[in-house]
Amino acid sequence: MSGAEGGADLLLLVASIVGLGVFSQLLSARFRVPSVLFLIVSGVAIGPEGLGVLTINSFGESGLSTIVGLSVAIIVFEGAFHLKIDKIKEAPSAVLRLTTIGAAIAFFGTAAAVHFFLGAHWDIALLIGALLIATGPTVITPILKVVPVRDRVAATLETEGIVNDVTAAILAVVLFKAMAVGEETLTTELYLQLFAERLGTGLLVGVVVAAVVWSVLQYVDLSPDNAPQNARLLTLAGAIVAFGTADYVFSEAGVAAAATAGLILGNAGLPYEEDIEAFKGDITLIVLSFVFITLAALLEFDQLFVLGLGGVAVVVAVMFVLRPLLVFLTTRGDRFTFRETLFMSFVGPRGIIPASVATLFAIRLQTGVAEGGAPPTNPAGADLLVGTVFLVILVSVVLEGGLARQIAEKLDVIPMRVLIIGGGRVGRSLAERLEARGENVVLIEEDLTVLKELRNDGFTARQGDGTDVEVLRESGAENAKTVVAATGDDDANLLVAQLAKSNFDVENVIARANQPSNASAFEDLGVQTISAAESTAWAIDNQIERPALSNWMSELGRSGDVQEIEITEEALVGKQIVDLGSELPNGVLIALVSRNGTSEVPTPDVELERGDHITLIGRSEAVREAIEQCGTPV
């Protein structure tokens, strides 16, 4: 075949991969399933196990390594760029423990499983254990796009993915390089030196590149006509330069450099930041698609089948023993519900870093080529490495990625988003009650002292002016079901209510009226209004005239719940209250039935109709069970 023909074939192959990648993204959006599932299927389809269009020789040995390396740089940089410091603060202790204690459990536990179940030598077992620490933004981010869990759950998983990608890449390279040194010279000091060299180089290069990019964007005239475009290109170049420079000094230091530069620039308040984010997002989607399809295409099923039951045992240990163990151990004491902790236990798919680095190591093990030395040629070790890593990736992506939304819905961890503007006594007290019921509450507070107190107490709180459209948008107003304006300033509350209604079409807007005379202005907007003075007077009156009722309501707020639901289950239509009541969990009462705009305390013989709203009262857990039986929360 001539060079021209070879170039044309390669061009057609690249075009096909990109086309499959974009199509996979479209399928992901259509079926609300993480894109990595479709990407892997596409890769296998065109690889040696499918059509055989793409093989390990398609790009050449060095070409594949270079493509994967640069792609990983862009992916890691983009993930870190989106990781805001404010978001990390939402679950700081959990993130710290997950990326230290949790990573250690995953590392040693996986290595032990590989050693005992597959009979691998400890050097290969430890290498596999290091690679499978990584979850990574390449698999976590697509999942969180279709599974809108509580903000602190998302922040914890995203931060864990970014940090563990860096940890896994550097640790794996250290172990692989140590294999070339020889067992007689291996010491703890050598391991620490190799790790520190790469991490330190990555951090230093990342900081320097970020400083240069920031300085240019801030102080250099980028030409008014092309400034946004130049800002996008400069930032993208920064990611690649940071990776390439650090990787040139020490192999795999580039991952740490890209992550460091991305984290700094993403939190530096760059000009044209929205343009940069949109551009990088598109580039990353293409790069992610290309790399996942390419690496999946290199997979040979024989490498999986040869593992036998031992491979199955390793997968079970990694996914269903080690992951739940490390999540439950490291998230204890944080404001995660049991269901959220269970969700994080079942969502830890492995991604691009283990796949790409394992492929690179396998090539070196087969050829005996390694930086700074030559470990013995080890084809068996290479097959075991690639087979085990890809088996865990495939099973975890298919089960945990493909079924993530179903798992979340089954565990009921996709909560209604509630925005509360104002983190004072009223906003804070409301947030406590809503979070106790499992809602996804985001507080917006301008005062930095109050903001710090809220975060220290475990609330999800964003700094900013709640009357600013961009602050509301960044806090999730577009996806909010309820917005509560709870500041002490009626003018601010009125403006928040207007913005929520007109700009974001929020279904339920509630405002606090500090002055009773202002209540009519809110009501004219169609906003549900709570008069602070009247509410206080009503509460005092209840305490004087109806103390038992007042005490009961207070206790209900602590351990009970009141929920209104719509009858949607066909099996309930036509049932009488007396029949339904006997089927509800113990302690749940039907207090009201609302139909055609009127509400009444039902008699036992009232028959339910589709669309009726019923109000349930009882213990919190019992009310949740009743909601699952009866219909849809209103």
Side-chain angles (χ1 to χ4, degrees):
M1 179 185 296
S2 68
E5 290 174 341
D9 290 343
L10 184 58
L11 180 60
L12 182 60
L13 179 60
V14 171
S16 301
I17 294 173
V18 172
L20 283 171
V22 173
F23 184 62
S24 297
Q25 299 293 343
L26 295 176
L27 289 176
S28 170
R30 172 64 180 83
F31 295 105
R32 299 184 68 79
V33 173
S35 58
V36 289
L37 185 60
F38 297 109
L39 294 173
I40 285 181
V41 171
S42 299
V44 173
I46 65 173
E49 301 296 338
L51 300 175
V53 176
L54 179 61
T55 69
I56 195 169
N57 298 317
S58 296
F59 298 103
E61 185 179 308
S62 60
L64 179 63
S65 300
T66 303
I67 291 171
V68 169
L70 291 176
S71 300
V72 167
I74 295 171
I75 293 166
V76 171
F77 180 90
E78 201 261 348
F81 192 91
H82 283 282
L83 192 61
K84 306 302 181 185
I85 297 298
D86 285 347
K87 211 168 187 180
I88 298 175
K89 290 179 179 178
E90 290 167 13
S93 54
V95 167
L96 180 62
R97 292 194 297 266
L98 264 176
T99 54
T100 52
I101 299 171
I105 293 173
F107 173 41
F108 291 111
T110 303
V114 172
H115 175 72
F116 290 111
F117 292 134
L118 294 175
H121 192 275
W122 274 112
D123 56 359
I124 294 293
L126 289 170
L127 190 58
I128 295 172
L131 287 172
L132 292 179
I133 291 173
T135 51
T138 55
V139 283
I140 293 298
T141 300
I143 288 174
L144 296 178
K145 283 182 178 179
V146 297
V147 186
V149 292
R150 192 188 298 264
D151 283 21
R152 61 170 160 264
V153 175
T156 301
L157 290 173
E158 285 178 323
T159 310
E160 178 199 17
I162 292 290
V163 175
N164 281 357
D165 257 5
V166 176
T167 303
I170 295 177
L171 183 58
V173 168
V174 167
L175 291 169
F176 188 78
K177 186 173 179 63
M179 290 169 60
V181 175
E183 294 186 7
E184 66 281 357
T185 59
L186 292 180
T187 62
T188 303
E189 290 76 12
L190 176 61
Y191 281 117
L192 292 176
Q193 176 192 337
L194 294 172
F195 190 87
E197 285 173 348
R198 283 153 180 78
L199 182 60
T201 300
L203 291 173
L204 178 61
V205 172
V207 170
V208 171
V209 170
V212 172
V213 172
W214 182 84
S215 300
V216 172
L217 290 175
Q218 290 287 346
Y219 301 114
V220 176
D221 183 4
L222 296 177
S223 174
D225 294 337
N226 298 317
Q229 179 187 45
N230 292 335
R232 295 193 298 264
L233 294 174
L234 180 62
T235 307
L236 178 63
I240 297 173
V241 168
F243 179 89
T245 303
D247 216 55
Y248 178 78
V249 179
F250 289 112
S251 61
E252 299 309 319
V255 177
T260 302
L263 183 63
I264 293 173
L265 291 174
N267 289 275
L270 298 178
Y272 315 107
E273 185 170 334
E274 289 186 6
D275 292 305
I276 293 171
E277 286 184 347
F279 174 70
K280 287 193 304 76
D282 292 339
I283 293 292
T284 301
L285 282 179
I286 294 175
V287 167
L288 175 63
S289 302
F290 191 91
V291 175
F292 248 120
I293 289 175
T294 302
L295 292 181
L298 303 182
L299 179 65
E300 296 180 9
F301 287 165
D302 289 345
Q303 295 173 324
L304 305 183
F305 296 146
V306 76
L307 299 176
L309 293 178
V312 175
V314 170
V315 172
V316 170
V318 170
M319 292 177 57
F320 302 115
V321 178
L322 295 173
R323 178 66 183 178
L325 174 65
L326 70 89
V327 169
F328 274 89
L329 284 178
T330 57
T331 58
R332 288 182 59 190
D334 280 280
R335 297 172 63 91
F336 298 109
T337 65
F338 174 78
R339 291 170 182 264
E340 288 170 345
T341 306
L342 206 56
F343 174 75
M344 291 190 289
S345 298
F346 289 135
V347 179
R350 273 51 177 183
I352 210 75
I353 291 292
S356 58
V357 178
T359 302
L360 179 63
F361 286 171
I363 293 171
R364 292 179 178 176
L365 282 172
Q366 289 172 335
T367 60
V369 177
E371 180 201 7
T377 302
N378 189 353
D383 289 344
L384 180 64
L385 172 65
V386 172
T388 306
V389 169
F390 269 95
L391 181 62
V392 173
I393 291 173
L394 283 172
V395 177
S396 64
V397 166
V398 170
L399 293 184
E400 299 180 339
L403 300 177
R405 188 171 183 87
Q406 288 77 8
I407 294 171
E409 289 173 346
K410 186 67 176 178
L411 293 175
D412 193 23
V413 294
I414 304 179
M416 174 180 71
R417 179 181 286 268
V418 179
L419 286 188
I420 300 177
I421 290 77
R425 289 188 296 272
V426 174
R428 182 192 183 95
S429 179
L430 176 61
E432 287 178 348
R433 290 171 178 266
L434 292 175
E435 289 206 339
R437 294 210 299 263
E439 305 294 358
N440 183 16
V441 181
V442 178
L443 286 152
I444 299 176
E445 175 57 50
E446 196 167 12
D447 187 292
L448 292 177
T449 302
V450 175
L451 184 75
K452 184 177 180 181
E453 291 174 356
L454 290 169
R455 286 174 173 167
N456 287 342
D457 290 334
F459 292 101
T460 300
R462 304 284 171 80
Q463 196 274 331
D465 180 358
T467 63
D468 187 323
V469 174
E470 289 306 315
V471 171
L472 291 174
R473 179 175 286 109
E474 290 171 3
S475 300
E478 291 175 326
N479 300 316
K481 185 175 182 180
T482 301
V483 170
V484 180
T487 74
D489 184 341
D490 281 355
D491 290 337
N493 290 343
L494 182 61
L495 181 53
V496 168
Q498 288 177 319
L499 293 174
K501 282 281 187 182
S502 61
N503 287 49
F504 301 104
D505 195 26
V506 177
E507 178 182 336
N508 193 24
V509 180
I510 303 171
R512 168 188 175 187
N514 298 280
Q515 297 296 327
S517 59
N518 292 334
S520 59
F522 289 95
E523 291 167 355
D524 290 342
L525 281 175
V527 174
Q528 299 180 60
T529 308
I530 306 297
S531 170
E534 290 181 7
S535 297
T536 303
W538 181 77
I540 294 173
D541 181 42
N542 277 338
Q543 189 65 48
I544 295 172
E545 298 294 332
R546 295 166 287 276
L549 174 64
S550 180
N551 292 334
W552 178 77
M553 289 295 291
S554 297
E555 177 59 30
L556 184 67
R558 286 190 288 269
S559 60
D561 199 3
V562 179
Q563 288 285 337
E564 182 180 339
I565 66 171
E566 180 180 353
I567 296 298
T568 56
E569 295 291 334
E570 195 63 40
L572 300 178
V573 176
K575 275 197 172 185
Q576 293 185 336
I577 292 295
V578 64
D579 298 325
L580 179 60
S582 63
E583 298 176 3
L584 294 177
N586 186 36
V588 176
L589 301 175
I590 301 175
L592 291 173
V593 174
S594 301
R595 181 182 300 164
N596 299 325
T598 61
S599 301
E600 61 178 15
V601 178
T603 58
D605 59 348
V606 169
E607 287 191 1
L608 294 173
E609 299 178 3
R610 174 174 289 279
D612 281 353
H613 288 195
I614 64 174
T615 301
L616 303 175
I617 298 177
R619 293 284 178 181
S620 298
E621 287 298 323
V623 169
R624 288 197 190 100
E625 291 178 24
I627 290 173
E628 293 177 0
Q629 287 180 219
C630 295
T632 307
V634 177

